[in-house]
Amino acid sequence: MRKIKQSKKIIIALAVIMVIGIFLRTYNFRNWVRFNDDQARDAIWTNEILSGTRSLPLLGPKAGSTEFRLGPVYYYFQYVSGRFFGGAPDKLAYPDLLFSILAIPMLFLFLKKYFNDRDSLVVTGLFSISAYVVEYSRFAWNPNSMTFFILLLFYALLELIEPKQKNKIAWAIVAGLCTGIGAQLHTLFLVIMPAMMLVFLGYVLKKGKFDWKTVWFILLFAIIPNVPQLFYEVQSGGANIMAFFSGASNTSGKNHGIVSVFVGDGICHVRENAMMLASYGNVTDNFIDCHPIGLRNYIAEQQKAFGMTGSIAAILGFVISAVFSLGGYWLIWRAIKKETDREKKNFLMLSSLYIVVSFFVLAGLESVLTSRYFLIVEIVPFIMLGLWIEFLREKFGERGTVVVAVLVLALAVYNLFAINMTFAQYAGADMQDVSKPESVNLEDQEFFARYIEANREESLIIVINDNIGDLFGLRKALRFLTEGKLDIKEVGVNHDIKLTPGTPYFSMDLAGVSEKEELQKANLPGYRITGSATRGRFSIFKFSAK
C-alpha cells in the first residue's frame, strides 16, 4: 500500500511538471513561433510536397553552411503534421513541440536508472522550465527533436544490458530506430553516436552482457530509416557523402594550436552548461567566442553596461559556472569509481562516454561553435546537477538539503525570469531588445507581409532592406506568406542599389527610429519615405521616388 501511495505521488508530481512544461512550450505558440530563413525554406518545401508539386525527398535540409544534406526524416515529420493539421508554419512545428514535451518524462525515466525518485523529479522539473530548452522547443528546426531520441536511445541501451530484461529484441529495435532517426536530425549525431556506441557495445560485449544477435537488430533498424538517402547515394555515386567529408574539412577548427582548441572547447562547455541549466548569459546568443579573449570581451561589455558591478558579476558567474562543470565531471568520475550497483554503473559509463566523445568532436569545431551545436549535449548539465544534489546531501546532511532547496529555487526563478523576458521581447515590450537568431517570429513576418501587400501598388517586384541586419531570412518568409506571388529582392545593410523606377522599396528597422534617421540610413538619393507602420519591436518604411 505504501508503494502504491508513493507511486501516486510520483505520478502527480510528474504530471504537474508536465503541465508547467507544456504551458511554457505552447503559450501563444502560433504567433511567437520562430519563422526565419530555415523555417521558411522548410515550409515552402513541405507545402510543395503537400500540394503534390514536389515528391517526398530522398534527402533533408543542408547541414549548416555545407553542401551535405541530412536524411529526410525531418521533412517526413513535417509532412505528416501538415497532412493532419495543414501547412501553416506553426503546424509544421508541431513535431518538434511534441518531441520536446515527450523529452520531459523520458528524462525522468532515464534519470531513474541512477537517481532516486525525488532527485529525478527535481532535475526533470528544472529541465521542463529551462529557458534554453523551452526556447529550442518553440519552433521548427531539425535538431530540436534530438534530445528525445538521445534519451530514448540511452534508455534502450541500458535496458538491453539489464540481465532481467526479457524483451531485448524490442529494445534493440528501439535503439536502432533512434540511431537511424537521430543521424538525420543533426550532423554531430551522425559522428558522435557511431563512435560512442562502438565503444559502449565493445564494453558490454567484453563484460558478457550482450549478444551479437541484438547488435545485428540495432544495425538493421538503424539502416531502415536511412534507406532514402542510401538510395540517393547509389543514384548519385556517393555525392552526398563526399559533401559530408568536404564540409567537415571546411568547418574544422584549424586556426589554433591544440592547447588553444581544447581550452576554447572547455570554455564553451562551461558557458553552455550554465546557459542550459540557469540561463546564464543570453539564451538567444548565436555565435560564442570560446577563447579567453572572448571571455574578456564579454566581461568588458558587462562593465560598459553596468559598471564595475557588471564586470564583477560576469567574472563571478563564469567562476561559478566553471566550478559547476568541472566539479560535475569530477563527480561522474568519482561515482564510477565508487559505484558497485551494476545498473547504476552502466548509467554512469554511458553518460561519461557520451560526454567525452562529444567534447572531442566539438573540439574539432571550436573555431565555429554556436549555441545550437550544444543541443547535442543538452541533457549533460542536468545529469551533473543530479550528481551535485546527491553530493551536497551526502556531505552536509540536513544542511545540504537546505543548500539544495535554495539552489533549486534559485535556478527555477532564474529560468522563469529569463522565459518571461523572452516572451516580453516577442510581445514588443523592449523595442531595443532584439538579438539573433530569435528576433523574428511569425507574427512579425505577417506584419511585414500585410504592409507590403497593402502598399506594393501594382508591382510584383519588391525590394526590401534590413536596416538593423537582424531580421534573418526575410525573403523566403515573405515569399511564403505572400504565397509566392512577389519577386522579392533583399539587399544588405546600407548597400548602394539602383532601383528601377516604380519598384516598391521597403526597409525594416527597430521601432522608435524616426523617418529622418531611416532616410539617412537608406542612402537612396531621389527617394522619400511615403509611409510607415510599427508593431512591437519593429517598424517598416515605404520609399517612393520624389
Side-chain angles (χ1 to χ4, degrees):
M1 183 62 70
R2 186 175 180 180
K3 285 186 177 181
I4 294 174
K5 288 183 178 180
Q6 185 66 22
S7 297
K8 286 183 178 179
K9 289 180 180 180
I10 293 169
I11 292 171
I12 292 171
L14 186 58
V16 171
I17 289 170
M18 288 287 293
V19 168
I20 295 171
I22 291 171
F23 171 77
L24 294 176
R25 285 158 176 76
T26 58
Y27 178 71
N28 208 9
F29 185 79
R30 191 266 172 207
N31 287 337
W32 293 348
V33 69
R34 186 192 303 178
F35 196 54
N36 290 340
D37 188 55
D38 291 341
Q39 290 71 46
R41 174 204 64 197
D42 296 337
I44 291 169
W45 267 65
T46 304
N47 275 271
E48 289 175 353
I49 297 169
L50 290 168
S51 68
T53 58
R54 184 189 292 270
S55 301
L56 280 169
L58 299 178
L59 296 178
K62 281 186 179 181
S65 59
T66 72
E67 292 302 313
F68 171 70
R69 290 187 177 275
L70 296 162
V73 72
Y74 171 70
Y75 285 147
Y76 294 174
F77 287 158
Q78 288 208 332
Y79 172 76
V80 172
S81 183
R83 276 293 181 200
F84 280 99
F85 305 107
D90 58 312
K91 305 302 189 293
L92 299 182
Y94 281 178
D96 293 284
L97 175 64
L98 173 64
F99 288 125
S100 175
I101 291 169
L102 293 177
I104 298 172
M106 198 66 245
L107 177 65
F108 174 72
L109 293 174
F110 175 64
L111 292 174
K112 270 176 56 66
K113 290 289 187 180
Y114 180 82
F115 301 105
N116 60 38
D117 292 333
R118 178 181 58 180
D119 291 349
S120 298
L121 284 169
V122 168
V123 175
T124 302
L126 288 173
F127 176 83
S128 75
I129 62 172
S130 163
Y132 180 97
V133 176
V134 169
E135 179 73 22
Y136 280 93
S137 71
R138 292 179 57 89
F139 63 99
W141 196 35
N142 50 284
N144 286 353
S145 298
M146 192 170 45
T147 296
F148 169 77
F149 289 100
I150 290 172
L151 287 167
L152 184 55
L153 170 62
F154 286 2
Y155 190 86
L157 289 175
L158 293 176
E159 285 294 318
L160 281 171
I161 58 177
E162 171 57 46
K164 296 178 183 179
Q165 178 56 250
K166 303 299 182 184
N167 299 315
K168 290 186 181 292
I169 298 301
W171 284 112
I173 292 172
V174 171
L177 290 174
C178 287
T179 303
I181 293 171
Q184 300 183 52
L185 296 177
H186 200 297
T187 315
L188 291 183
F189 194 106
L190 188 61
V191 177
I192 291 171
M193 278 304 147
M196 194 210 75
M197 288 185 67
L198 186 64
V199 176
F200 186 71
L201 292 178
Y203 162 76
V204 294
L205 282 168
K206 184 178 179 181
K207 296 290 182 180
K209 303 293 183 182
F210 221 48
D211 62 82
W212 281 105
K213 182 173 70 173
T214 310
V215 174
W216 288 118
F217 267 96
I218 292 175
L219 291 174
L220 173 63
F221 282 89
I223 291 171
I224 288 173
N226 290 277
V227 167
Q229 71 246 50
L230 292 175
F231 183 67
Y232 175 85
E233 294 294 353
V234 172
Q235 281 187 325
S236 66
N240 197 49
I241 194 66
M242 286 189 286
F244 170 78
F245 288 112
S246 175
S249 63
N250 290 334
T251 57
S252 60
K254 53 188 177 184
N255 298 321
H256 308 105
I258 188 69
V259 174
S260 177
V261 164
F262 283 106
V263 169
D265 190 25
I267 291 174
C268 254
H269 275 81
V270 166
R271 291 178 62 179
E272 291 301 300
N273 283 339
M275 185 181 291
M276 294 177 204
L277 193 63
S279 303
Y280 173 70
N282 186 354
V283 176
T284 61
D285 275 346
N286 190 21
F287 179 75
I288 314 165
D289 189 342
C290 295
H291 294 89
I293 190 171
L295 186 59
R296 290 200 299 270
N297 290 340
Y298 174 71
I299 293 169
E301 288 171 5
Q302 296 302 303
Q303 182 170 356
K304 183 177 179 181
F306 304 105
M308 187 58 68
T309 303
S311 61
I312 293 173
I315 294 169
L316 184 60
F318 183 80
V319 169
I320 293 172
S321 303
V323 169
F324 172 82
S325 290
L326 297 176
Y329 298 137
W330 175 76
L331 286 172
I332 293 176
W333 177 82
R334 172 179 176 266
I336 290 173
K337 300 289 286 184
K338 290 178 59 178
E339 190 57 63
T340 56
D341 183 283
R342 176 52 56 186
E343 185 176 0
K344 290 186 175 183
K345 192 153 191 168
N346 288 333
F347 172 95
L348 294 166
M349 291 295 292
L350 182 64
S351 300
S352 62
L353 180 61
Y354 187 61
I355 290 169
V356 171
V357 173
S358 300
F359 183 87
F360 279 96
V361 171
L362 287 168
L365 300 168
E366 165 266 351
S367 63
V368 295
L369 281 178
T370 61
S371 286
R372 61 187 172 86
Y373 284 98
F374 288 84
L375 281 168
I376 195 80
V377 289
E378 189 176 68
I379 63 173
V380 170
F382 296 94
I383 294 172
M384 293 195 296
L385 176 63
L387 291 167
W388 270 107
I389 290 172
E390 188 180 62
F391 174 75
L392 290 170
R393 286 208 184 100
E394 175 190 325
K395 283 295 182 183
F396 303 107
E398 291 184 5
R399 285 180 298 173
T401 301
V402 174
V403 173
V404 167
V406 172
L407 172 65
V408 170
L409 180 61
L411 291 174
V413 169
Y414 210 111
N415 276 295
L416 291 173
F417 176 77
I419 291 172
N420 183 63
M421 290 288 288
T422 300
F423 287 175
Q425 178 185 335
Y426 288 160
D430 186 346
M431 293 185 297
Q432 301 304 312
D433 188 10
V434 181
S435 53
K436 294 181 180 179
E438 289 78 17
S439 55
V440 191
N441 54 48
L442 181 57
E443 193 173 35
D444 298 327
Q445 298 280 27
E446 287 178 330
F447 161 68
F448 297 141
R450 285 194 302 269
Y451 187 85
I452 289 172
E453 281 275 35
N455 291 274
R456 67 181 175 84
E457 298 168 1
E458 299 300 319
S459 178
L460 296 179
I461 300 175
I462 304 296
V463 176
I464 57 173
N465 189 356
D466 167 15
N467 269 327
I468 54 173
D470 211 26
L471 305 181
F472 177 45
L474 286 169
R475 185 191 305 182
K476 290 180 181 178
L478 292 175
R479 178 191 162 201
F480 178 86
L481 293 171
T482 57
E483 300 178 346
K485 292 182 294 186
L486 305 181
D487 179 9
I488 299 171
K489 303 181 183 300
E490 188 174 0
V491 296
V493 181
N494 295 332
H495 282 197
D496 292 328
I497 62 169
K498 293 181 179 179
L499 293 177
T500 303
T503 301
Y505 179 91
F506 300 88
S507 69
M508 285 75 165
D509 212 325
L510 289 173
V513 174
S514 69
E515 291 189 2
K516 182 179 179 180
E517 291 174 300
E518 194 67 18
L519 200 56
Q520 291 174 340
K521 284 185 178 183
N523 191 24
L524 288 174
Y527 280 76
R528 59 193 174 90
I529 293 176
T530 55
S532 64
T534 298
R535 192 203 72 82
R537 298 163 291 161
F538 302 116
S539 290
I540 181 169
F541 300 85
K542 179 186 177 182
F543 289 73
S544 299
K546 291 181 181 177

